[in-house]
Amino acid sequence: MPDALHSYCPWGYHPVHLNDTFCENRYEVVQKLGTGSYSIVWLARDHHANRYVALKILRSEFSGTNNESRILRQLDEYRTNNPGIQGAKSIPTLLDEFDFDGPNGRHKCLVTEFAGYSIATSKFVSEQKWRFPVQAARAITAKAVLGVHFLHKAGVVHGDLHNANFMLQIPNIDKLSVDELYRKFSAPHKEPVQRLDGKPLGSSAPAYTVLPIHAWVRAENVTESDIIITDFGEAYVANSEPREDLNTPLALQPPEALLKIGTIGMPADIWTLALTLVDSMGNGTLLEVFRGDRDDIMAEIVSSLGKPPEKWWKAWDKRHEFFNEDGTWLDEEVMDANGRCQDAVWRSLKHRVSRNTIRDGVPLADDEIDALVAMLGGMLKYDPEERSTIEDVMSSEWMKKYGFPAIEADAEEKRLEQASPSKEPQDSSKPLLSPCADLTISSEDASGATKVEPLIDPSSNDSQTETSQDTPTEILHDISPARVSELEPIAMDTTATPSTTTQKTLQDSADTTSKPTSDSSKGYQPAETTSKNITAALTDGVNHEDIGNDIPPHDETPSDAKPSSDDNLPHDETPSDPKHPKDQTRNREDEDPVTKPTDLTTK
């Protein structure tokens, strides 16, 4: 999704420009990876470790409540204590984390590997096939299972499994210089930002926004099957933090979430994983839902799995708009009169999977279809207590006959490639966790790039961690600019704009309080940019949804329509009584004009 310009305001996004540096010049911003409603993720060069990393910079209002770094540290500890456990390679490593002060407040930054491009992106850019080659599909599907196996063994519920959070890695990207990165993928594309009232832009917003990097491989050309599971903003410890709702895209939610029955736990991950696996093995989602209505989704589930057990059937109060009490379909005319557009047709799980996995007119062999349907059927039980565990999935016939052999074949191919004298082995080194401590923005260097300097001793324990991302293998050079602008951000959750409550809170903050800029004594100055003469006219009551509409929205994945949060807060909430981050003293005489949510647009 493009940047929500109205969120460049107190408690909102931190304004970042290309070549900005953080942590005493260690991390230099070179490209954008994507934008979510709770953070923006940037591709940066780690000059200490000589590699690319992802900087996930959270909005100020959520930086103090973010849960992601704690979960990633727990997973890293489990990996260290359990060497050789299956699936560990599919979990991102938190390389670093730090907090810093900016013009819109105090922000947390998580640093992780660059995870690559999502399954959703790879399929979106596909040329009419929208499927991975069958052997790559098997390996990707099996590695997704292994990744969730690691999570559940570590006692963690991901809470947001879908095809935009499974990233396909790009090998050897760290060997590229920044110029080579731009040539191979895409150079940054800037969109100048202006105030609508013609006043100076101020420090709350960037001089320009940057479209996400175009780095991917079309699904039909994918050969690299290593994956990273990303976005742990909704993750939690299974036994100590029970949940009653889920922020996964609605079309992927299990019955217990759709019908609000009981708590949400590991079985919910199993359900959403099953629907994701159908997508990775085939050309689309299992459930065909054309609007975000939980009752239409339940009808699709019943169409595929049959009438649910009585407890679940009685809990669905809108069942009479689709079905008779005995579970048979109503006439379509009656459903139309009920405002429903569902076809009165039973489409079994086997029918849907068989149709979804046909390649070039050739279906998978009957034995594989039967094994795949049996595995998915166990994962898609109505009752979470009857649903397969991840250990059950690991021991399924499909994993034994098709999944694990595909992983081994992929590993053997890599061994042969690395043994070839014509190819260099991949550099598997990684930097040690190096705290950056508390930071504040400092003066710009000779090139005009903003630098961030430590406020306290870097050896302090006040530092924190990061988030991850990676890169593709074959790169596309032949997509038209119009098509390119439609592509979703890489390695990011695509989400809706903040709720009305959140917008009003930010509006009130902008209108009634002093703008939280860094203390002038800290020497903050925005990076110099090529975007000059930024002007516009103020229009009161601007529709927030229309701001920046000249940047086409990205596809929100085949079921990627969840407000995927970067933290632990529900999407319709804002802090009830937010307190400004500490160390944010203000000098009203030195302040730039306050940037209101309605003041910004792109040219």
Side-chain angles (χ1 to χ4, degrees):
M1 61 184 279
D3 291 358
L5 295 180
H6 59 274
S7 292
Y8 282 107
C9 61
W11 296 96
Y13 294 133
H14 174 64
V16 174
H17 297 96
L18 297 170
N19 303 120
D20 282 0
T21 61
F22 295 84
C23 212
E24 296 184 295
N25 296 324
R26 175 170 183 171
Y27 305 116
E28 181 179 0
V29 174
V30 299
Q31 256 287 19
K32 178 183 282 185
L33 295 177
T35 300
S37 60
Y38 292 88
S39 69
I40 296 179
V41 182
W42 296 89
L43 181 65
R45 189 70 180 177
D46 181 347
H47 292 301
H48 288 193
N50 197 28
R51 65 178 292 176
Y52 290 101
V53 295
L55 303 182
K56 184 172 187 175
I57 302 177
L58 276 67
R59 285 172 48 165
S60 177
E61 63 178 313
F62 303 119
S63 290
T65 57
N66 180 263
N67 190 49
E68 189 163 358
S69 61
R70 178 177 66 84
I71 293 294
L72 290 175
R73 285 195 299 270
Q74 177 174 328
L75 293 172
D76 198 47
E77 181 180 0
Y78 186 80
R79 175 168 35 209
T80 300
N81 294 335
N82 296 273
I85 186 171
Q86 291 178 305
K89 292 181 179 179
S90 295
I91 306 304
T93 300
L94 184 60
L95 304 174
D96 199 358
E97 103 181 271
F98 54 90
D99 297 287
F100 67 91
D101 293 325
N104 294 327
R106 193 168 183 82
H107 302 266
K108 180 177 291 295
C109 180
L110 307 178
V111 186
T112 58
E113 310 134 281
F114 171 38
Y117 60 105
S118 70
I119 289 175
T121 296
S122 182
K123 292 193 165 196
F124 181 79
V125 301
S126 175
E127 292 186 321
Q128 300 182 353
K129 292 189 176 181
W130 306 293
R131 296 175 179 86
F132 299 119
V134 64
Q135 194 65 359
R138 290 170 179 147
I140 291 168
T141 300
K143 289 178 182 180
V145 171
L146 290 184
V148 176
H149 170 263
F150 178 89
L151 293 179
H152 286 192
K153 291 291 285 185
V156 171
V157 179
H158 185 276
D160 192 23
L161 295 174
H162 55 81
N163 61 9
N165 285 336
F166 286 91
M167 316 302 296
L168 294 164
Q169 294 182 285
I170 304 172
N172 301 320
I173 187 174
D174 292 335
K175 298 178 181 179
L176 301 176
S177 69
V178 174
D179 287 341
E180 290 170 335
L181 179 87
Y182 291 163
R183 286 196 296 271
K184 187 167 186 178
F185 302 120
S186 65
H189 178 81
K190 304 176 185 178
E191 291 284 347
V193 175
Q194 61 186 4
R195 284 179 60 107
L196 294 171
D197 59 4
K199 294 180 181 179
L201 192 62
S203 62
S204 288
Y208 54 82
T209 63
V210 181
L211 296 184
I213 187 173
H214 303 135
W216 53 74
V217 181
R218 290 191 178 109
E220 60 268 25
N221 298 326
V222 165
T223 58
E224 176 62 51
S225 62
D226 287 343
I227 66 167
I228 293 285
I229 301 175
T230 61
D231 191 2
F232 287 81
E234 293 290 339
Y236 61 96
V237 178
N239 295 327
S240 61
E241 305 171 39
R243 302 283 180 86
E244 295 184 357
D245 56 8
L246 201 60
N247 285 324
T248 304
L250 200 61
L252 299 180
Q253 292 193 9
E256 62 266 31
L258 293 172
L259 301 177
K260 306 293 185 183
I261 299 178
T263 58
I264 305 297
M266 288 181 178
D269 270 359
I270 296 297
W271 180 282
T272 55
L273 175 63
L275 298 184
T276 302
L277 299 186
V278 173
D279 193 20
S280 64
M281 279 298 295
N283 73 332
T285 57
L286 181 72
L287 305 176
E288 299 172 353
V289 180
F290 298 101
R291 61 181 183 179
D293 182 284
R294 63 183 64 243
D295 297 301
D296 284 341
I297 295 166
M298 275 301 301
E300 268 290 283
I301 293 173
V302 174
S303 172
S304 179
L305 303 180
K307 182 183 177 182
E310 199 66 16
K311 172 184 175 181
W312 303 89
W313 184 245
K314 295 293 186 184
W316 183 22
D317 57 2
K318 296 292 182 68
R319 65 188 182 277
H320 296 303
E321 295 183 9
F322 302 89
F323 299 98
N324 297 303
E325 192 56 32
D326 62 0
T328 57
W329 286 103
L330 295 175
D331 291 338
E332 290 186 4
E333 293 79 5
V334 177
M335 282 194 284
D336 288 343
N338 292 334
R340 302 297 178 180
C341 58
Q342 188 79 26
D343 292 335
V345 177
W346 298 104
R347 299 183 180 92
S348 69
L349 179 61
K350 183 171 183 178
H351 168 80
R352 292 170 185 261
V353 172
S354 300
R355 182 186 59 183
N356 224 358
T357 53
I358 294 174
R359 284 173 173 77
D360 298 323
V362 180
L364 293 177
D366 289 344
D367 287 350
E368 182 169 4
I369 288 290
D370 289 342
L372 184 58
V373 169
M375 180 180 77
L376 294 171
M379 300 171 75
L380 294 172
K381 296 290 188 183
Y382 284 105
D383 191 335
E385 295 183 2
E386 297 179 4
R387 216 168 286 159
S388 296
T389 64
I390 196 63
E391 288 83 3
D392 295 332
V393 179
M394 291 275 286
S395 62
S396 67
E397 181 184 2
W398 186 88
M399 285 292 290
K400 291 177 180 178
K401 291 181 66 174
Y402 303 98
F404 288 124
I407 292 175
E408 181 53 38
D410 182 63
E412 179 62 24
E413 184 176 341
K414 286 184 173 63
R415 284 193 289 269
L416 293 175
E417 287 179 356
Q418 292 181 347
S420 171
S422 62
K423 296 193 176 183
E424 300 178 13
Q426 271 189 261
D427 180 9
S428 60
S429 63
K430 69 177 183 179
L432 297 174
L433 180 68
S434 58
C436 291
D438 282 349
L439 305 176
T440 188
I441 297 176
S442 182
S443 58
E444 57 189 41
D445 61 18
S447 68
T450 303
K451 301 197 296 183
V452 173
E453 307 293 352
L455 282 173
I456 59 176
D457 184 351
S459 64
S460 166
N461 291 328
D462 287 348
S463 64
Q464 290 147 32
T465 28
E466 42 194 306
T467 327
S468 76
Q469 258 98 334
D470 271 35
T471 358
T473 323
E474 304 173 10
I475 307 308
L476 309 181
H477 301 284
D478 55 346
I479 294 183
S480 69
R483 182 82 193 281
V484 160
S485 67
E486 298 173 1
L487 299 176
E488 66 169 343
I490 293 175
M492 282 298 300
D493 49 297
T494 53
T495 55
T497 56
S499 67
T500 302
T501 303
T502 302
Q503 292 185 23
K504 185 171 189 328
T505 299
L506 298 181
Q507 173 75 62
D508 292 344
S509 176
D511 288 345
T512 63
T513 66
S514 62
K515 184 180 70 171
T517 57
S518 294
D519 188 311
S520 58
S521 66
K522 306 301 182 186
Y524 168 72
Q525 293 180 336
E528 230 175 82
T529 71
T530 57
S531 303
K532 307 293 184 182
N533 302 321
I534 299 171
T535 58
L538 176 64
T539 303
D540 290 333
V542 171
N543 183 346
H544 293 176
E545 301 297 330
D546 293 335
I547 296 178
N549 273 358
D550 51 328
I551 303 176
H554 294 285
D555 175 65
E556 297 192 1
T557 70
S559 287
D560 176 19
K562 151 235 164 188
S564 166
S565 114
D566 297 311
D567 59 67
N568 232 11
L569 291 178
H571 292 276
D572 57 353
E573 293 185 13
T574 59
S576 58
D577 182 23
K579 293 182 174 57
H580 197 281
K582 61 182 179 180
D583 302 329
Q584 293 292 295
T585 57
R586 297 291 169 267
N587 184 339
R588 291 288 295 174
E589 295 179 0
D590 294 337
E591 284 185 344
D592 296 314
V594 173
T595 302
K596 301 182 204 176
T598 56
D599 282 353
L600 299 178
T601 185
T602 54
K603 284 187 177 179

